[in-house]
Amino acid sequence: MKTRTFLFALAAVVFAACAQSPEEKVKAYDEAHDAMVAEFRTMMDSLSTDREAAEAFYNEFVEKYIAFNLDAAKENSDNEISVSALMNLRGLIEDAQVSEIIAAMSEEMLQNEQVVMMKEGLDARAATAEGQMFSDFTVNSVVGQTRSIPPQPVYADVKLSDYVGKGKYILLDFWSPWCGPCRREMPNIKAVYDKYQGDKFDVVSIAVWERDSVQVTIETAAKLEMTWNQINNGKREPASIYGVEGIPHLILFGPDGTILKRGFHGEEIEKVVSEYVK
């Protein structure tokens, strides 16, 4: 534990002491960051048989890792370290903190492609935050097959508004067939669907960022017993509209299309749905 504390302290000291020229600043940050990550991996390996200790160390590391990168971003708003720190903080801090970092960046850093993309995600999530009305999208989705030999896919434009805002609570599931966490989430979604589906509630899964053919998406959905409404061939646009940066991602819409809750998973799905669907 003393070694770990020393390395964290050393990382901060090296970073601060060597931060002189832009090149030296970047080098110091990279070395300090790599030292922290290396220590993290070593400790996690050594604690692989002690789940409780591993969890405690992980939580401790994340707290210090966030603080390290927040300080780096704050102190380097005019150079590329702020961009690197922001990327390292992705998924670890709230949107409000991300906005604060971006707001302090120099004009040059604001032109960075990664920063532009993060800003677009922030704006999209603000526009589709809880309490906002849903934003519609249209997907050219496979809705069936022809009777020819061999059968050919039949495409049609499918809108989110075909389901949302029609008087039912709708659980929207962003997923993709290659996504392991998405596949593991399906039993939880299926349990909620089986329990609540009816006049008041329904589920829609939207496949995004697919890496294979639409047929793979269709076959995977069948294997996973996803018997609810499916929109395939989503590609990037639906996720971009809702600022989704990782999947699975769930959103619950009210009967009028209001966004009630987003970003929940696991056992929370049943809890969230049950609060609204009686």
Side-chain angles (χ1 to χ4, degrees), residues 244-260:
V244 174
E245 296 183 339
I247 52 177
H249 188 88
L250 297 173
I251 301 176
L252 181 65
F253 298 93
D256 64 347
T258 301
I259 298 170
L260 301 176

Side-chain angles (χ1 to χ4, degrees), residues 6-238:
F6 170 74
L7 281 175
F8 281 130
L10 177 63
V13 170
V14 169
F15 174 59
C18 296
Q20 299 173 4
S21 70
E23 293 77 15
E24 290 172 330
K25 287 182 179 183
V26 172
K27 182 180 179 182
Y29 171 80
D30 287 343
E31 289 178 348
H33 177 269
D34 291 349
M36 295 179 73
V37 172
E39 176 64 11
F40 169 75
R41 290 172 177 167
T42 299
M43 287 298 298
M44 289 298 287
D45 286 343
S46 70
L47 297 171
S48 60
T49 58
D50 189 339
R51 182 175 180 179
E52 184 175 343
E55 183 176 351
F57 170 71
Y58 174 84
N59 292 334
E60 177 188 356
F61 172 81
V62 169
E63 182 178 345
K64 293 184 178 181
Y65 185 76
I66 289 174
F68 170 77
N69 281 288
L70 284 175
D71 288 343
K74 181 178 180 180
E75 295 169 10
N76 293 275
S77 59
D78 62 345
N79 64 63
E80 63 186 76
I81 291 175
S82 60
V83 178
S84 296
L86 189 59
M87 294 302 105
N88 289 331
L89 289 167
R90 200 169 188 173
L92 296 176
I93 59 176
E94 299 295 329
D95 279 356
Q97 292 175 289
V98 176
S99 295
E100 186 177 343
I101 293 172
I102 292 177
M105 284 182 168
S106 65
E107 188 60 36
E108 181 182 357
M109 292 302 103
L110 290 175
Q111 303 307 313
N112 180 279
E113 183 179 356
Q114 291 176 308
V115 176
V116 171
M117 290 178 62
M118 290 198 77
K119 181 66 166 57
E120 290 175 349
L122 286 171
D123 292 343
R125 286 190 293 279
T128 57
E130 294 170 12
Q132 299 290 336
M133 188 60 65
F134 81 101
S135 295
D136 206 4
F137 57 74
T138 302
V139 174
N140 194 235
S141 184
V142 173
V143 296
Q145 292 183 323
T146 65
R147 296 184 178 181
S148 61
I149 300 176
Q152 298 299 313
V154 175
Y155 287 84
D157 284 346
V158 180
K159 297 181 178 181
L160 181 62
S161 56
D162 293 337
Y163 304 99
V164 173
K166 301 294 187 182
K168 286 186 180 184
Y169 291 95
I170 298 294
L171 180 65
L172 181 66
D173 162 45
F174 288 86
W175 80 293
S176 198
W178 53 261
C179 170
C182 298
R183 298 164 73 101
R184 290 191 291 273
E185 192 74 277
M186 291 308 167
N188 297 317
I189 297 173
K190 179 174 174 55
V192 169
Y193 174 76
D194 290 343
K195 183 174 181 179
Y196 293 101
Q197 190 274 335
D199 294 338
K200 295 182 179 181
F201 175 80
D202 214 339
V203 176
V204 178
S205 282
I206 168 71
V208 295
W209 306 332
E210 301 101 315
R211 297 174 179 174
D212 297 301
S213 67
V214 177
Q215 188 59 34
V216 172
T217 300
I218 294 171
E219 292 173 355
T220 302
K223 290 178 182 178
L224 295 174
E225 299 181 335
M226 298 166 62
T227 56
W228 48 89
N229 305 296
Q230 301 292 318
I231 304 175
N232 53 57
N233 201 37
K235 300 179 182 178
R236 295 182 178 276
E237 185 178 5

